[in-house]
Amino acid sequence: MTVYQFKLSTTAVANQVELIRVRQDDDESQIFRATIFEDGKVKNLDGVSAEFNMVDAQHHIVVDDARIVDATNGIVEYQLRKEAMLSVGRCNAYFSFKSNKEVVYSTKDFNYNVIWSALSSPMHQGCDYVWTASDLIDSLKDWIEHAMGDFDDWFESVKEILASIDPGGVILNELLDARVDMLGERHKSLSERLVADFSNVIGKVNRIVHVDDFGAIPDGKTDSTEAFEKALADGNVKVEMSAGTYIVKEILMPNNSHLNGQGSALSRIKLHNDAPASAIVITNKVMDGQAKNIAVTGVSLDWNKSRQGGILKPTGGSRSSTLRFAGVKHGYAADVYTTGSALHGIDITYASDSYFYEGDGNRVPEELESKYVTILDCDATDFGDDGITTHHSRYLTIINSGGHHSRGTGNSNGIEIDDGSQYVYLKNTYSEECYSGLEIKGHATTSSAGGIFVDGHTSTRDCRSFNFRHIGHHAASDPNSKTAYGIVASGLVAITPYANEIYKGTTPRALVISAFVNVQIIGFTAIGDKTFTAGQPVVAIQFKTQNVTIANTNIRGFTNASYDIQVYGGDNRGEGVTLSNVNLFKSAVNGIYNGGGVYDTKIIGGTLVGNGMGYAIESINNTAQIIGITQKNYKKAAKITAVEYDVLPTVLKGGASIATTGGGATDPSSAIIASTGDSKAVSPRSVVMASADNSVARGSRTAVLTSSASETESGGYAQTIISSKGVQAPGNYQTVFGYGDGEPSKANVKVNINSFNGTIKATGAITGSSSLTDFAEYFETENGEKLEDGTVVTLQKGFVKIAEENDDIIGAISGTAGIILGENTYHHKNKYLKTKFGAVITEKIEKINDADGEKIVTIIEQPIINPEYNEALELMYQAREHRQEWNVVGLKGQLLIKVAQSVCVDDYIKTAVNGIGVKGESGWKVMNIEHPFDKSDGYAVAKVLI
């Protein structure tokens, strides 16, 4: 009974199944035994039934029951029946699994070949024994040695078997024609030649051999190089190994060959003590890009670093490694353990001993690349450079594998996806005690890796857990990378990165991204301790990186770090960074830092918990968007453009359109709010709010508020339109109100407030409260005295004083003035030059306002500063309303004043005694007595008309 054992997956893109050949007509004597995997793990088959499904080259379809022999370990069997071997040639098959008569899952397809059987009908009827070609050779030997008859008699007895092995009788014709065998060797007799030829046939038929049968001895001493060479021969063979240690100088694997040990813990291949430094334990034989179908499984590979005094160094290129696929199509390594290499543990590269350094954007010819290579359950340690690495190859898969405990002294990484690698998929990989745990990179003088997909990597105590970069494309003067594009990673875990001194002088990071474009990381966890170097960021996004998204981040424990996440600024700054769902817990001094010149960072969602120090968010500019972030236990919530915040602000940027139907905000720093009717804000720092009917805010720092069919001037600035219709702003530094029909027009302005010169213009009346009834000016008292309201005053030497009998009265101290002149509220009276008659002297100048690099030229009129004015007065100056020597004197209108007891309605006030008005023949008309005489005050209060 022949059993074909292999592994099948329900999830992998393609199954890694060796070439299977089954003998036609060997009915029910051949078994497929498959172990079923799902996501790299054995699939439990409890609760399902199994079916075998196939279609052959003639499109015959077979669906037959299969048998689950070990559900827990996922093992299913199918005993091949005649229907599954009807046609010679390639068959496509798979196993399906049912529950309640419904298919619930299936394996991916695998192939087997049906070949002519050594039997066209069963032999030795009554038993299940099937003859092989070896039996034929033994039969021929026995026939000849015992003179059992002539050759024709023997041939007649086995002709049906020979017909299946030698269709057309070609071999037999050659046997009868001469004593030269199929390999061209002449033999002494026909019988000897026949034995040799049939030995050659069996060599073709039997494709599973054991290296020990060729002289290999796994004793850790005997040189077995030649035995491996003979066993592998020209390929098309699977070579089995025993447990133990084989010594070799190098193994070159031909196409269509599989080297299989008893498991990496049992079978071992070690380099001979005399092997040169350039030696590779196992590599492919064909080096022109045509290497294919090479597999290494179940073995430990030892480069024997201590040989020749332990002084051997890498010899350059990809030599001096342990396992290499160089220009291999369909390579496979599983359960391979590598140790001690001078260079790499496992290297997937192109068909050359050298590496390719011909400039960024250039690649090796595609036919030289390795493709479709899978590394499964492999482990590399004690390597000189990288544990597992790739170069100028594509469509690679690395699963459940990793590198750890490097002995390198530089950029020595657990896994390195290096120069020119494309479309590499990593799943459940790991690293420990290396410089970088997982590095995705390119050297300066060649193309970077790109199109890399990572689904789970755990880095433990590496210096830089995850290091994504293109060397030579970091500085401001460097060219941007042409090839560092596309990293998608999930499930990244960085555990206690620290400066482990593998690469002297470098500082630790949990994650570094440099020069790459389009990077997405979903699910990143970093756990630190006090071994992390003080003053360094945990995560660094830097050096021309663009379009980076890091989502679902958890960072804790880096109490020595400066920042948990730092987005570097400067001339070589990156751009387009998005941090979402960020959770920081009692980690670095500061949470998130956004550097100078980085204007489009987005921080969206998260909880930041500090250690009582620093800032939750620090940004050099105010352009980073901050949305939905909560923080606590930091010294300050934020520091943005040198302004500290106790409460973390929400910051939104870019063409904000809020509660608006129709229209929009077309500039990144414009906004439209609660507006309709195709209204728009189109310039930097422009806003339209609660407006309609095609209202437009143009120019810098402009606004249209609660208006319709109104617009500011294009190219202007500092213009505001409020509560208007059909109004066009008349110029800069003006706030206007107005109304009109038709197109927006300056003619429809009704009120204009000029903030440049303080002028207010209106086309209608200006009214005040009924309690504000007089017109007043500020006057100063000579002795600095503050006078009571209602006191009648006179002028003396330019100062006001309390009026006495026979004084010419000018007014009274007012508390009801509607208009007050002479205030000088904002500056000293002598700040500007004036004419002899007090008018402020002005000049017209050309004002250039540079708004975001656009120069706007305006002619404006402004006061001329008095050259003798002392600027220091600005610091000490107080407005007159706050100085008691300055009194508001009502001069015109209805005024409340102090009057004598004798004053009555319709009397006149001509003079005063001690500031109390007394009646006279003419003067101010008494309109009403507001408060009667009060003896304690010594006066009544009357309303008079001045």
Side-chain angles (χ1 to χ4, degrees):
M1 189 73 68
T2 302
V3 178
Y4 303 95
Q5 299 189 66
F6 47 86
K7 298 177 181 179
L8 297 177
S9 174
T10 64
T11 55
V13 176
N15 289 303
Q16 299 291 333
V17 178
E18 295 297 324
L19 182 63
I20 299 174
R21 292 185 176 92
V22 301
R23 299 180 301 275
Q24 191 180 40
D25 295 329
D26 281 3
D27 189 20
E28 298 184 354
S29 66
Q30 303 176 87
I31 292 176
F32 287 165
R33 180 177 295 161
T35 303
I36 310 303
F37 285 77
E38 182 175 88
D39 293 328
K41 297 180 180 179
V42 171
K43 176 74 173 177
N44 190 309
L45 303 180
D46 282 337
V48 297
S49 60
E51 284 185 344
F52 175 75
N53 304 262
M54 65 79 65
V55 58
D56 63 19
Q58 302 301 319
H59 305 293
H60 298 127
I61 297 174
V62 173
V63 178
D64 201 358
D65 290 339
R67 184 169 70 96
I68 297 174
V69 297
D70 187 345
T72 301
N73 292 309
I75 300 175
V76 62
E77 284 187 353
Y78 175 70
Q79 189 169 18
L80 272 76
R81 298 171 56 195
K82 186 175 297 183
E83 289 81 358
M85 301 178 289
L86 287 175
S87 299
V88 173
R90 185 184 181 94
C91 298
N92 194 56
Y94 65 93
F95 286 95
S96 60
F97 300 89
K98 289 185 175 182
S99 177
N100 296 325
K101 298 183 178 181
E102 297 290 333
V103 175
V104 291
Y105 51 85
S106 301
T107 69
K108 302 299 181 180
D109 291 354
F110 69 96
N111 299 309
Y112 66 92
N113 281 351
V114 178
I115 62 175
W116 292 106
S117 174
L119 296 172
S120 61
S121 61
M123 297 187 65
H124 296 282
Q125 299 296 327
C127 70
D128 61 357
Y129 178 75
V130 178
W131 279 42
T132 67
S134 296
D135 297 325
L136 294 176
I137 293 174
D138 292 340
S139 172
L140 178 58
K141 287 180 178 178
D142 189 60
W143 195 281
I144 295 171
E145 289 175 3
H146 294 88
M148 297 172 64
D150 61 26
F151 180 78
D152 290 340
D153 294 332
W154 176 83
F155 174 74
E156 185 66 26
S157 70
V158 295
K159 67 179 180 180
E160 290 185 0
I161 302 171
L162 293 172
S164 68
I165 296 176
D166 182 24
V170 174
I171 298 176
L172 293 176
N173 288 333
E174 288 295 325
L175 286 171
L176 296 173
D177 288 344
R179 287 179 291 140
V180 178
D181 68 15
M182 294 168 58
L183 300 179
E185 183 177 347
R186 184 175 297 277
H187 296 272
K188 295 180 180 179
S189 66
L190 179 59
S191 60
E192 183 180 306
R193 181 252 175 122
L194 289 173
V195 171
D197 276 336
F198 274 90
S199 297
N200 183 54
V201 172
I202 188 60
K204 292 182 178 180
V205 173
N206 188 2
R207 292 306 181 191
I208 300 178
V209 301
H210 202 295
V211 70
D212 294 0
D213 294 339
F214 294 83
I217 303 175
D219 60 359
K221 298 180 292 184
T222 303
D223 185 351
S224 298
T225 305
E226 186 176 352
F228 277 95
E229 183 179 351
K230 289 180 178 180
L232 289 163
D234 293 326
N236 300 310
V237 66
K238 180 178 182 179
V239 178
E240 296 284 353
M241 292 179 286
S242 300
T245 300
Y246 295 95
I247 301 299
V248 301
K249 293 178 179 176
E250 190 167 73
I251 296 176
L252 301 178
M253 295 190 64
N255 288 354
N256 306 315
S257 62
H258 179 181
L259 191 58
N260 182 53
Q262 301 299 306
S264 60
L266 299 175
S267 297
R268 181 184 183 211
I269 300 176
K270 181 179 180 180
L271 275 186
H272 194 285
N273 285 335
D274 294 337
S278 61
I280 302 172
V281 181
I282 298 177
T283 187
N284 47 288
K285 185 176 184 179
V286 177
M287 287 293 290
D288 59 1
Q290 301 302 308
K292 62 181 180 179
N293 302 330
I294 295 174
V296 180
T297 57
V299 63
S300 173
L301 306 179
D302 185 351
W303 196 78
N304 190 10
K305 66 178 182 180
S306 62
R307 70 185 191 277
Q308 301 175 34
I311 62 172
L312 300 180
K313 303 295 182 183
T315 58
S318 59
R319 304 291 306 181
S320 310
S321 296
T322 308
L323 173 62
R324 185 183 73 175
F325 295 92
V328 174
K329 313 302 188 288
H330 299 285
Y332 182 68
D335 187 24
V336 175
Y337 175 86
T338 72
T339 184
S341 64
L343 194 66
H344 306 309
I346 299 175
D347 187 2
I348 306 171
T349 186
Y350 74 106
S352 174
D353 288 336
S354 301
Y355 287 136
F356 184 82
Y357 299 110
E358 298 298 326
D360 185 21
N362 296 320
R363 298 185 59 82
V364 302
E366 186 173 347
E367 61 270 18
L368 296 181
E369 297 178 353
S370 286
K371 292 183 179 180
Y372 315 112
V373 177
T374 296
I375 306 299
L376 174 65
D377 297 330
C378 293
D379 185 275
T381 189
D382 196 25
F383 39 84
D385 194 356
D386 301 316
I388 301 174
T389 187
T390 67
H391 303 83
H392 284 283
S393 300
R394 65 181 88 186
Y395 315 129
L396 313 178
T397 303
I398 303 172
I399 303 176
N400 298 342
S401 302
H404 57 94
H405 296 90
S406 162
R407 74 170 193 280
T409 57
N411 187 42
S412 185
N413 309 307
I415 298 179
E416 180 181 271
I417 309 303
D418 207 354
D419 305 331
S421 300
Q422 289 187 332
Y423 316 121
V424 182
Y425 175 73
L426 300 93
K427 182 177 178 66
N428 297 339
T429 51
Y430 58 87
S431 59
E432 184 174 1
E433 289 288 354
C434 301
Y435 172 60
S436 296
L438 170 60
E439 181 171 66
I440 301 172
K441 87 163 198 305
H443 287 91
T445 55
T446 190
S447 297
S448 172
I452 312 303
F453 306 89
V454 184
D455 183 9
H457 182 99
T458 299
S459 163
T460 304
R461 295 190 66 74
D462 298 312
C463 180
R464 298 199 166 183
S465 303
F466 300 95
N467 197 2
F468 307 155
R469 58 183 177 145
H470 193 179
I471 299 167
H473 302 273
H474 296 176
S477 58
D478 291 338
N480 289 342
S481 174
K482 299 176 182 178
T483 52
Y485 286 84
I487 297 174
V488 178
S490 64
L492 304 187
V493 180
I495 300 174
T496 57
Y498 78 113
N500 53 26
E501 294 301 305
I502 290 175
Y503 199 155
K504 301 289 185 182
T506 58
T507 52
R509 302 282 190 274
L511 171 64
V512 183
I513 306 174
S514 307
F516 263 88
V517 178
N518 288 355
V519 178
Q520 287 198 354
I521 299 174
I522 304 170
F524 174 75
T525 297
I527 301 169
D529 60 19
K530 291 186 177 181
T531 62
F532 190 84
T533 302
Q536 299 296 322
V538 179
V539 174
I541 305 169
Q542 60 189 20
F543 304 162
K544 298 188 175 184
T545 289
Q546 298 181 55
N547 295 6
V548 174
T549 296
I550 304 178
N552 304 341
T553 298
N554 293 295
I555 301 176
R556 64 179 174 89
F558 293 88
T559 54
N560 292 340
S562 55
Y563 297 92
D564 282 316
I565 302 175
Q566 181 167 352
V567 181
Y568 278 76
D571 292 339
N572 59 342
R573 61 188 176 273
E575 60 183 46
V577 176
T578 300
L579 307 173
S580 65
N581 299 336
V582 181
N583 291 327
L584 310 179
F585 186 78
K586 295 184 178 180
S587 194
V589 174
N590 302 282
I592 300 172
Y593 176 87
N594 187 58
V598 184
Y599 298 121
D600 52 5
T601 300
K602 295 182 286 293
I603 307 169
I604 306 171
T607 302
L608 316 183
V609 180
N611 287 310
M613 302 176 289
Y615 306 99
I617 295 178
E618 182 178 358
S619 181
I620 299 301
N621 54 58
N622 192 32
T623 61
Q625 297 190 56
I626 304 172
I627 305 167
I629 303 291
T630 60
Q631 68 81 33
K632 64 179 181 180
N633 292 347
Y634 288 93
K635 182 179 179 180
K636 291 288 184 178
K639 182 180 180 182
I640 301 174
T641 60
V643 177
E644 294 184 339
Y645 294 78
D646 292 322
V647 177
L648 199 62
T650 294
V651 184
L652 299 173
K653 303 294 178 185
S657 180
I658 303 172
T660 292
T661 57
T666 61
D667 186 87
S669 60
S670 64
I672 183 167
I673 303 171
S675 298
T676 60
D678 203 29
S679 297
K680 294 181 284 291
V682 300
S683 300
R685 297 169 295 279
S686 64
V687 63
V688 174
M689 181 165 24
S691 297
D693 297 338
N694 200 30
S695 292
V696 182
R698 299 185 179 92
S700 176
R701 309 191 307 279
T702 59
V704 178
L705 311 175
T706 63
S707 299
S708 63
S710 297
E711 62 183 27
T712 57
E713 285 187 321
S714 178
Y717 52 92
Q719 304 174 27
T720 305
I721 300 172
I722 303 175
S723 300
S724 300
K725 178 183 179 184
V727 169
Q728 184 181 52
N732 302 328
Y733 295 108
Q734 297 185 57
T735 299
V736 298
F737 307 76
Y739 185 90
D741 292 322
E743 295 295 320
S745 173
K746 298 174 184 177
N748 292 330
V749 174
K750 300 296 187 288
V751 178
N752 185 327
I753 302 173
N754 190 312
S755 58
F756 185 79
N757 55 30
T759 300
I760 300 176
K761 298 178 182 179
T763 61
I766 297 177
T767 60
S769 166
S770 60
S771 62
L772 303 176
T773 56
D774 60 280
F775 176 92
E777 286 191 48
Y778 274 102
F779 287 88
E780 188 178 8
T781 57
E782 186 174 14
N783 60 2
E785 181 182 6
K786 181 70 174 177
L787 303 181
E788 291 182 358
D789 286 350
T791 302
V792 180
V793 297
T794 186
L795 274 175
Q796 180 177 304
K797 298 180 181 179
F799 296 97
V800 293
K801 72 179 190 68
I802 298 173
E804 299 294 348
E805 190 174 2
N806 298 324
D807 284 342
D808 291 328
I809 58 177
I810 63 165
I813 304 303
S814 173
T816 59
I819 298 176
I820 304 173
L821 302 181
E823 218 291 352
N824 279 343
T825 301
Y826 304 110
H827 57 77
H828 193 275
K829 64 182 179 180
N830 295 324
K831 181 174 182 177
Y832 298 110
L833 289 177
K834 298 177 182 178
T835 67
K836 293 179 180 180
F837 298 99
V840 174
I841 300 174
T842 63
E843 62 179 345
K844 290 184 178 180
I845 65 169
E846 184 179 78
K847 185 76 172 179
I848 299 177
N849 181 62
D850 191 345
D852 289 343
E854 180 182 0
K855 291 185 177 180
I856 302 173
V857 180
T858 308
I859 304 300
I860 62 173
E861 187 173 5
Q862 68 178 21
I864 301 174
I865 299 291
N866 184 349
E868 297 180 0
Y869 176 67
N870 184 0
E871 293 288 346
L873 294 175
E874 296 285 350
L875 300 175
M876 301 180 293
Y877 182 74
Q878 282 187 313
R880 289 177 176 179
E881 65 175 317
H882 301 304
R883 294 155 58 185
Q884 69 174 10
E885 71 271 21
W886 287 95
N887 293 267
V888 177
V889 178
L891 303 176
K892 290 289 183 181
Q894 301 176 37
L895 195 63
L896 297 177
I897 69 171
K898 299 176 182 179
V899 296
Q901 185 178 6
S902 59
V903 173
C904 298
V905 175
D906 292 334
D907 285 342
Y908 292 94
I909 303 300
K910 180 67 175 175
T911 187
V913 175
N914 196 29
I916 299 173
V918 295
K919 64 182 178 180
E921 297 266 338
S922 60
W924 305 342
K925 183 74 170 182
V926 177
M927 300 173 61
N928 188 41
I929 302 300
E930 298 290 316
H931 298 283
F933 180 79
D934 187 325
K935 188 174 182 180
S936 61
D937 290 335
Y939 56 81
V941 177
K943 179 184 286 187
V944 301
L945 177 62
I946 302 178

